[in-house]
């Protein structure tokens, strides 16, 4: 039950994009079409979940044992970069249209602060391996939910009469703010 609450808390209550404001670059950049947003969400789910598992193991069995925990950020960035390279090669080979649609945002997962943020939060909260993976998965699902909802809203906004000064990024940021307020309603869900 505790793991379920951690997953729900990571996905809804502490949504990485809408309450912690991490990972805004792909959130804004890739949320123009639902298909592309879902593809990015799938890639982020894979990267964050695997990164949570690998960084947890490295931190526990290498960094703590050798008393070099001060290197955690550098090590975590290297692990994340390697995982993103793997995802990029996989998508290029298996799903070329999605690879092309994601464009520059796919390699940007390496510098997506949400991925690094989850790994660091797992360490700060002293989560064990299973809890780290569940927290990572829940966070990634929350990212995916947020980006797909934003993409759906942006597709509908294209057909609306938006004042000229609000077209483009301003209306996207206003929408993100409204989504963040809506997700704030989940804050009482878990104590």
């Amino acid at each position: 039950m505790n793991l379920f609450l951690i997953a729900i808390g990571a996905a809804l209550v502490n949504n990485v994009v809408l309450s912690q404001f991490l990972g805004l670059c792909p959130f804004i950049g890739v949320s123009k079409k639902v298909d592309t947003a879902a593809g990015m969400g799938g890639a982020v789910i894979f990267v964050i979940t695997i990164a949570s598992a690998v960084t947890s193991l490295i931190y526990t069995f290498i960094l703590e044992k050798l008393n070099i925990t001060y290197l955690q950020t550098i090590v975590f960035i290297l692990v994340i970069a390697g995982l993103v390279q793997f995802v990029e090669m996989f998508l290029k080979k298996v799903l070329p249209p999605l690879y092309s649609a994601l464009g520059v945002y796919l390699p940007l997962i390496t510098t997506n602060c949400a991925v690094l943020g989850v790994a660091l939060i797992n360490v700060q909260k002293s989560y064990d391996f299973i809890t780290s993976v569940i927290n990572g998965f829940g966070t990634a699902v929350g990212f995916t939910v947020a980006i797909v909802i934003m993409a759906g809203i942006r597709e509908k906004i294209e057909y609306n009469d938006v004042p000229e000064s609000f077209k483009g990024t301003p209306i996207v940021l206003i929408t993100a703010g409204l989504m963040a307020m809506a997700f704030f309603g989940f804050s009482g869900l878990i104590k």
Side-chain angles (χ1 to χ4, degrees), residues 3-187:
L3 293 176
F4 178 73
L5 292 177
I6 287 173
I8 294 298
L12 299 177
V13 178
N14 298 316
N15 187 283
V16 71
V17 176
L18 300 173
S19 71
Q20 296 178 13
F21 306 111
L22 298 173
L24 289 176
C25 178
F27 177 71
I28 301 296
V30 182
S31 63
K32 292 178 182 158
K33 296 196 181 299
V34 173
D35 295 343
T36 308
M40 174 60 95
V44 168
I45 287 173
F46 177 79
V47 170
I48 288 181
T49 304
I50 300 300
S52 294
V54 173
T55 56
S56 176
L57 293 172
I58 288 173
Y59 186 82
T60 303
F61 295 110
I62 296 174
L63 299 178
E64 278 188 333
K65 298 286 186 206
L66 298 174
N67 199 23
I68 53 173
T69 56
Y70 57 89
L71 293 175
Q72 70 187 9
T73 304
I74 295 168
V75 171
F76 291 176
I77 288 171
L78 292 173
V79 167
I80 292 164
L83 288 171
V84 170
Q85 284 299 115
F86 174 74
V87 169
E88 193 171 0
M89 290 185 311
F90 176 79
L91 288 179
K92 190 174 185 179
K93 181 77 174 168
V94 177
L95 297 167
L98 179 59
Y99 175 79
S100 297
L102 292 175
V104 70
Y105 294 101
L106 185 59
L108 283 178
I109 295 175
T110 302
T111 59
N112 185 343
C113 53
V115 182
L116 179 60
V118 172
L120 294 174
I121 287 169
N122 289 338
V123 168
Q124 288 172 351
K125 292 189 175 183
S126 301
Y127 285 158
D128 62 2
F129 176 76
I130 298 294
T131 309
S132 293
V133 172
I134 296 297
N135 184 53
F137 180 75
T139 300
V141 167
F143 176 89
T144 303
V145 166
I147 197 170
V148 169
I149 290 172
M150 175 59 93
I153 292 171
R154 285 181 76 175
E155 284 183 357
K156 297 293 182 189
I157 287 175
E158 280 186 36
Y159 302 108
N160 292 341
D161 187 24
V162 177
E164 192 63 36
S165 60
F166 287 107
K167 286 187 178 178
T169 304
I171 195 70
V172 172
L173 294 175
I174 290 169
T175 304
L178 292 171
M179 285 177 61
M181 288 192 305
F183 269 69
F184 184 69
F186 291 119
S187 63

